[in-house]
């Protein structure tokens, strides 16, 4: 039976799709059968980040509307054979995500996969509500910045009130904080909120910190989930996130500013 | 079904009941003024959705009342006018013709303790605490997050987790927040001036008691500290908790 995880934030551009792609890949690398679904109807990006945009024939909306079977729309990942992508439509809008249709697809995925990752659109409209409705767990992606924290807080409130678990009076959705685009140096300079500030404001368990990095841009431009950028800080950070999600203990990394090297100290940075 | 004294079956049974009603004191005969008042964001009537209310005419001159437009405006705002009070004889007749009975409720002295069962037929909102209070306050255990709002009607509200920025908590009685208060907190929203706000850490966007509000800023000496807020005269007083 699949566990359903929503990757959400409220605010746009904080790293939901990057995280969905890396996190889903990380689970598949660990041997779990994983599906990742793009809920951002009309602005499809996940297939680009996953590098499968040229293989999209049928999409999530086609399945919802009964124009294709789920098996026809699921795309097997290039690199990981346990990972499947369910892309969304570029030409429809979010109203096409009917509650019944999404529930039907979720039901079908439930029996086939270990994890279903829902990549939520920004905002708090239909698309975001549908993406979080079925969630068992939520990864709330937040940047160390006041408006992002406020939007994450809003989304946490919606998760607590409008998810299926809330409506059915079940155990609440398990919440995880993922702090992305974190630049310890800028935190030190007072330009960014610190990890402790964000934890204090949102008060949910921390899943990890992803450092701000050029690697992310390179990875998404090449259509490679960032977790595959071997040896990079970002890949290591995402590997840690997956490990913690699966219950392993991992110390936090990349939260202290890098110490300048000997030469840099000598000649100035 | 009961039988009346003549032995015929009766489908009616008359019994008494005591109800708490909110009273709206009208201060102008101009319906447009009522309408514009209802449109202000801080008007208390938004908490009275589907609630019966009594129109208090004490402040008005003995003139014909624009009852029809008032009723339309109030119903559009989601309230149900059920009667009038402090009406003159002529006003009483006009109201009765509109289906609004004249209620002879007493105004309570704030210090007076009302014994159960002796509650008057109509009570102004600021009497609710004394005469119509309904049990212990309400307890919220989960954090109140941005965009969420919680209103404890006729009660105190106790928040055990943070009230975050962009959230709003309201109570007719006191408000207790045993965690950081970062959002908006409104106590005594139906006009109870003796309501207070207590919080473990004052970081609020807005605090209000009986409609008088303040927006504390981070320079306040009690910012981030435990605080108690009370209404004194026309001003809010913010003091350290426990003094």
């Amino acid at each position: 039976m699949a566990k359903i995880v929503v990757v959400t934030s409220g605010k746009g551009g904080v790293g939901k799709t990057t995280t969905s792609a890396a996190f889903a890949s990380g689970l598949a690398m660990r041997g779990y059968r994983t599906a990742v679904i793009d809920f951002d109807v009309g602005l499809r990006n996940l297939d680009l980040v996953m590098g499968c945009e040229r293989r999209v024939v049928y999409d999530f909306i086609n399945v919802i509307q009964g124009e294709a079977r789920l098996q026809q729309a699921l795309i097997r990942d290039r690199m990981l054979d346990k990972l499947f992508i369910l892309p969304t439509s570029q030409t429809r809008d979010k109203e096409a995500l009917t509650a019944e249709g999404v529930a039907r697809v979720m039901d079908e995925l439930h029996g086939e996969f270990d994890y279903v990752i829902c990549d939520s659109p920004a905002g708090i409209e239909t698309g975001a509500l549908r993406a979080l409705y079925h969630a068992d767990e939520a990864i709330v992606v937040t940047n160390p910045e006041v408006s992002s924290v406020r939007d994450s807080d809003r989304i946490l409130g919606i998760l607590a009130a409008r998810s299926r678990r809330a409506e059915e009076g079940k155990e609440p959705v398990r919440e995880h904080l993922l702090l992305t685009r974190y630049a310890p140096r800028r935190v030190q300079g007072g330009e960014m909120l610190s990890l402790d500030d964000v934890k204090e404001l949102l008060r949910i368990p921390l899943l990890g910190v992803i450092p701000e990095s050029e690697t992310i841009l390179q990875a998404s431009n090449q259509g490679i989930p960032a977790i595959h950028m071997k040896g990079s800080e970002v890949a290591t950070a995402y590997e840690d996130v997956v490990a913690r999600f699966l219950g392993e203990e991992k110390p936090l990394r990349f939260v202290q500013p890098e110490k300048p090297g000997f030469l840099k100290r000598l000649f100035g940075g | 079904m009961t039988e009346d004294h003549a032995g015929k079956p009766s489908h009616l049974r008359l019994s008494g009941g005591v109800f708490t009603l909110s009273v709206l004191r009208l201060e102008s005969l101009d319906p447009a003024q009522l309408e514009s008042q209802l449109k202000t964001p801080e008007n208390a009537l938004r908490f009275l959705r589907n609630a019966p209310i009594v129109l208090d005419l004490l402040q008005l001159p003995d003139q014909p009342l624009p009852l029809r437009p008032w009723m339309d405006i109030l119903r559009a705002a989601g309230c149900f006018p059920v009667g009038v009070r402090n009406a003159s004889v002529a006003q009483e007749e006009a109201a009765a013709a509109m289906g609004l009975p004249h209620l002879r409720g007493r105004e309570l002295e704030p210090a007076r303790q009302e014994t159960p069962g002796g509650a008057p037929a109509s009570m102004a909102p600021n009497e609710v605490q004394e005469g119509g209070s309904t049990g212990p306050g309400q307890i919220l255990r989960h954090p109140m997050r941005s965009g969420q709002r919680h209103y404890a009607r006729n009660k105190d509200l106790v928040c055990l987790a943070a009230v975050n920025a962009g959230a709003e908590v309201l109570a007719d009685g006191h408000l207790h927040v045993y965690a950081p208060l970062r959002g908006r907190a409104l106590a005594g929203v139906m006009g109870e001036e003796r309501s207070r706000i207590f919080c473990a850490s004052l970081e609020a966007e807005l605090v209000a008691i009986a409609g008088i509000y303040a927006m504390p800023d981070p320079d306040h000496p009690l910012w981030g500290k435990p605080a108690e807020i009370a209404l004194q005269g026309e001003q809010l007083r913010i003091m350290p908790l426990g003094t």
Side-chain angles (χ1 to χ4, degrees):
Chain A
M1 293 295 262
K3 195 167 258 183
I4 299 171
V5 184
V6 62
V7 178
T8 186
S9 71
K11 196 170 167 62
V14 295
K16 283 181 297 294
T17 301
T18 302
T19 297
S20 298
F23 184 70
S25 300
L27 289 170
M29 283 156 83
R30 297 281 194 123
Y32 293 104
R33 285 180 57 84
T34 307
V36 55
I37 310 178
D38 190 347
F39 275 80
D40 203 351
V41 185
L43 293 169
R44 61 175 237 223
N45 284 158
L46 181 70
D47 50 327
L48 289 169
V49 174
M50 301 288 301
C52 65
E53 75 277 13
R54 306 183 137 280
R55 290 155 60 206
V56 176
V57 181
Y58 294 110
D59 59 45
F60 190 18
I61 304 300
N62 292 137
V63 179
I64 284 177
Q65 299 188 335
E67 297 153 3
R69 282 178 299 112
L70 181 60
Q71 297 308 329
Q72 293 175 294
L74 282 171
I75 302 174
R76 189 187 290 266
D77 185 57
R78 282 181 298 162
M79 282 173 276
L80 299 160
D81 62 1
K82 292 232 157 72
L83 178 60
F84 291 82
I85 299 120
L86 185 53
T88 197
S89 165
Q90 182 76 68
T91 50
R92 312 291 178 85
D93 63 35
K94 297 195 165 52
E95 305 315 311
L97 285 173
T98 60
E100 306 73 50
V102 174
R104 202 157 29 77
V105 174
M106 287 294 173
D107 255 5
E108 210 173 325
L109 290 168
H110 216 267
E112 304 268 319
F113 289 92
D114 299 315
Y115 288 99
V116 177
I117 313 302
C118 304
D119 181 20
S120 172
I124 50 174
E125 319 304 328
T126 312
L129 296 180
R130 297 276 188 265
L132 66 79
Y133 184 73
H134 295 272
D136 300 307
E137 310 210 14
I139 297 179
V140 178
V141 182
T142 306
N143 288 171
E145 175 246 322
V146 184
S147 63
S148 173
V149 172
R150 175 74 67 97
D151 290 358
S152 294
D153 196 50
R154 184 94 167 89
I155 274 289
L156 284 165
I158 291 170
L159 272 166
R162 302 186 62 182
S163 63
R164 180 175 177 174
R165 282 176 171 269
E167 281 181 5
E168 292 177 356
K170 290 190 182 149
E171 188 98 337
V173 177
R174 233 176 109 203
E175 302 157 339
H176 306 273
L177 171 63
L178 182 67
L179 197 54
T180 54
R181 312 192 68 164
Y182 196 67
R185 194 164 278 285
R186 295 178 61 191
V187 171
Q188 223 176 24
E191 295 168 54
M192 272 186 181
L193 293 177
S194 73
L195 171 59
D196 287 339
D197 291 338
V198 179
K199 275 164 70 180
E200 163 62 23
L201 287 165
L202 291 177
R203 301 184 162 211
I204 59 170
L206 179 71
L207 185 63
V209 176
I210 309 297
E212 169 91 79
S213 167
E214 282 290 305
T215 315
I216 301 270
L217 195 64
Q218 292 162 15
S220 43
N221 283 342
Q222 292 170 47
I224 301 172
I227 201 166
H228 291 299
M229 306 299 273
K230 287 288 166 229
S232 70
E233 285 189 352
V234 170
T236 318
Y238 272 120
E239 280 164 15
D240 286 356
V241 164
V242 173
R244 285 192 205 102
F245 184 83
L246 296 171
E248 296 167 26
E249 294 276 340
K250 287 274 175 189
L252 270 186
R253 292 193 252 201
F254 317 118
V255 291
Q256 297 303 328
E258 227 176 291
K259 294 226 167 55
F262 172 72
L263 285 175
K264 213 168 179 181
R265 259 186 292 159
L266 207 59
F267 299 108
Chain B
M1 225 187 331
T2 55
E3 290 191 1
D4 67 9
H5 61 274
K8 283 182 285 183
S10 160
H11 297 274
L12 297 171
R13 181 179 297 191
L14 192 62
S15 64
V18 175
F19 301 93
T20 301
L21 297 172
S22 297
V23 176
L24 181 66
R25 180 167 291 172
L26 296 163
E27 293 178 345
S28 154
L29 281 168
D30 184 3
Q33 220 159 34
L34 174 66
E35 192 162 28
S36 70
Q37 289 261 301
L38 290 178
K39 287 199 172 116
T40 60
E42 296 307 325
N43 97 74
L45 284 181
R46 63 191 165 128
F47 308 118
L48 287 178
R49 248 176 213 283
N50 302 329
I53 58 167
V54 177
L55 307 178
D56 188 338
L57 311 175
L58 186 67
Q59 307 279 325
L60 298 178
D62 183 8
Q63 285 171 14
L65 304 169
L67 280 167
R68 173 60 65 192
W70 278 349
M71 300 272 278
D72 291 343
I73 291 165
L74 288 166
R75 289 206 176 113
C79 315
F80 298 111
V82 296
V84 295
R85 76 170 188 179
N86 292 319
S88 70
V89 176
Q91 287 171 335
E92 185 180 336
E93 275 171 18
M98 294 278 299
L100 293 172
H102 190 220
L103 303 173
R104 276 167 245 279
R106 284 172 293 160
E107 191 82 59
L108 286 184
E109 292 300 319
R112 188 169 144 199
Q113 291 295 315
E114 190 64 41
T115 49
S122 91
M123 279 192 279
N126 60 356
E127 294 152 5
V128 166
Q129 278 285 300
E130 294 296 323
S133 174
T134 47
Q138 197 176 5
I139 299 176
L140 274 185
R141 292 181 179 278
H142 55 82
M144 288 298 289
R145 300 194 178 273
S146 179
Q148 291 182 316
R149 168 198 270 176
H150 191 91
Y151 172 39
R153 185 182 292 208
N154 294 350
K155 287 188 189 71
D156 293 352
L157 178 61
V158 181
C159 302
L160 296 178
V163 176
N164 278 350
E168 198 170 78
V169 285
L170 313 103
D172 284 345
H174 302 307
L175 256 176
H176 307 255
V177 183
Y178 299 111
L181 169 57
R182 303 189 175 115
R184 297 154 66 94
L186 295 87
V189 293
M190 293 306 296
E192 173 51 77
E193 297 178 353
R194 288 164 298 169
S195 304
R196 292 185 178 215
I197 299 171
F198 309 88
C199 61
S201 175
L202 176 70
E203 300 162 46
E205 294 171 323
L206 177 143
V207 289
I209 293 171
I212 309 282
Y213 69 91
M215 302 173 85
D217 65 70
D219 296 331
H220 194 280
L222 287 174
W223 188 261
K225 298 200 168 65
E228 173 177 351
I229 298 144
L231 187 61
Q232 278 194 341
E234 292 285 285
Q235 267 197 327
L236 289 186
R237 186 163 157 236
I238 303 180
M239 53 209 141
L241 190 62
T243 53

